[in-house]
Amino acid sequence: MSPRLEIDLDKIQYNASALVSRLGHRGISVTGVTKACMGEPRFARALLSAGVKTLGDSRIENIETLRLSGITTPMVLMRSPMLSQVERVVRHANMSFNSELDVISALSTAARKANRRHGVLLMVELGDLRDGIMPAELVETVRQTLRFPNIHLNGISTNLACRSGVSPDSRNMGVLSRLADVIETECGSAMRMVSGGNSSNLQWALSGASIGRINNIRLGEAILLGLDPLQRQPIPGLYTDAIALVAEVIESKKKPSQPWGTIAQTTFGSSATFQDIGTITQSIVAIGHQDVDPQGLTPPPDIDILAASSDHLMLNTSKHEVKIGSEISFQPNYSTLLRAMTSPFVAKAYTEAKQQTAPCPDFRDQYQPKGEAPRWH
């Protein structure tokens, strides 16, 4: 079936296992993030087989999917719960990220009614300007949180490099560690978890710098794509080809490289620019903006992406003989993967995990991109 995502759980499990091991040697646990795979139980089980002890997702619907599949592992909702969903959050998630006292109050009420205790991680704003409590307000927020019945304050967390691209480093991670110390001193509540952030924390976490109080990070992109999100460079020793996006060719014709007629905005509001390179072979595959982020696709060698509409991706395939009905395989970035996963028009083909050998002789010493090049066939 095409288009489809081909997802190699074997390679994903290897990536997860390698990162769990390396971070474990630094005293840092891994929360395996399932949101990019829409709470797919097979993906979650691959993470658990790799040694991940906690699963995280930003959508309660995905957590419910995992629970319905029989997975009982501790799970954390990695986004502040909506007030309209607090009962579901308390029922299915062991813990949630929070930054608003009104939400924590509602969680407390829901937990009391359900005769449960719900764990809370308070999100701290450290400069990226997404979500989080300002550091100067954190101690008072902790004091208020500790007053709510059926709520357990597990610790604090932060998120960087998502909205503004602020990189995790010794300075902002040091601030988070000191805040954990201040809370314990002033509020008498042990900060059992100090979660430093997401896959963008890997450079810092594995740099040899002092980790302070940081004992957890959340990994999704690094496991799935084998890339460091800060520069989208391959992480040494990991598979970068665990996921491919395959689309079918529906047209292939000789055409000029420049349009003709009066040029206005395109369907998506931009003004297109063109380079006249003469007549080319333009091929179209059956996928578009509705399914993917076209800018996040890496085509095979000697194939160039020209443009995309809602349902068409136009390619320059002049250096290849492309037949109607053949398939072209692309490597997606995280943005494209997220969109393709949520598209009902993109099939998902999983290969079951088994024993996977390393992509290089020594995981610790190899610092070169791994994985096969994207292919076309």
Side-chain angles (χ1 to χ4, degrees), residues 11-12 14-16 19 23 30 33 47 198-202 217-229 232-235 238-240 242 334:
K11 293 179 178 180
I12 286 172
Y14 176 82
N15 284 356
L19 290 171
L23 289 165
V30 171
V33 180
L47 297 183
N198 53 40
S199 293
S200 64
N201 281 69
L202 279 173
I217 58 176
R218 294 97 61 189
L219 298 182
E221 181 173 356
I223 291 172
L224 289 164
L225 302 179
L227 299 177
D228 172 8
R232 289 329 193 274
Q233 294 299 307
I235 297 170
L238 297 193
Y239 286 97
T240 58
Y334 196 63

Side-chain angles (χ1 to χ4, degrees), residues 8-252:
D8 190 330
L9 293 176
D10 204 2
K11 293 179 178 180
I12 286 172
Q13 181 174 319
Y14 176 82
N15 284 356
S17 179
L19 290 171
V20 167
S21 176
R22 293 196 75 181
L23 289 165
H25 289 136
R26 297 279 285 154
I28 299 175
S29 67
V30 171
T31 295
V33 180
T34 59
K35 68 176 183 178
C37 285
M38 298 287 288
E40 167 58 49
R42 285 170 290 185
F43 170 61
R45 291 191 178 98
L47 297 183
L48 297 175
S49 296
V52 169
K53 303 299 183 186
T54 304
L55 300 176
D57 207 294
S58 57
R59 310 291 173 127
I60 190 59
E61 294 84 356
N62 291 341
I63 291 176
E64 289 171 339
T65 296
L66 294 172
R67 292 300 191 208
L68 287 171
S69 74
I71 294 176
T72 59
T73 301
M75 297 187 197
V76 53
L77 180 66
M78 303 189 309
R79 184 174 68 178
S80 180
M82 295 184 236
L83 287 175
S84 59
Q85 293 183 338
V86 291
E87 289 83 6
R88 296 166 67 183
V89 172
V90 164
R91 187 179 310 120
H92 298 291
N94 304 84
M95 183 167 50
S96 59
F97 288 3
N98 284 269
S99 58
E100 292 287 349
L101 287 170
D102 286 347
V103 176
I104 300 172
S105 176
L107 288 168
S108 172
T109 300
R112 191 167 64 251
K113 290 179 179 178
N115 196 27
R116 295 172 180 260
R117 284 176 62 82
H118 183 72
V120 164
L121 272 178
L122 293 178
M123 292 295 290
V124 184
E125 177 60 74
L126 291 181
D128 200 54
L129 298 179
R130 197 189 73 172
D131 57 332
I133 302 157
M134 292 299 292
E137 301 170 357
L138 183 59
V139 169
E140 181 57 30
T141 303
V142 168
R143 289 189 176 119
Q144 295 291 332
T145 299
L146 292 172
R147 296 189 179 108
F148 290 116
N150 297 75
I151 293 295
H152 178 72
L153 179 59
N154 292 76
I156 57 176
S157 179
T158 194
N159 195 77
L160 297 169
C162 269
R163 177 194 165 184
S164 305
V166 174
S167 299
D169 54 30
S170 294
R171 184 195 59 80
N172 46 42
M173 292 296 99
V175 170
L176 192 64
S177 291
R178 289 191 293 275
L179 287 170
D181 291 338
V182 168
I183 291 169
E184 290 181 344
T185 299
E186 297 196 18
C187 303
S189 179
M191 297 290 96
R192 296 182 180 179
M193 181 178 287
V194 182
S195 186
N198 53 40
S199 293
S200 64
N201 281 69
L202 279 173
Q203 277 190 28
W204 167 81
L206 298 175
S207 68
S210 172
I211 63 171
R213 294 290 304 275
I214 310 303
N215 60 11
N216 174 266
I217 58 176
R218 294 97 61 189
L219 298 182
E221 181 173 356
I223 291 172
L224 289 164
L225 302 179
L227 299 177
D228 172 8
L230 294 178
Q231 273 81 41
R232 289 329 193 274
Q233 294 299 307
I235 297 170
L238 297 193
Y239 286 97
T240 58
D241 63 343
I243 300 177
L245 178 72
V246 181
E248 183 176 329
V249 177
I250 59 172
E251 179 181 298
S252 188

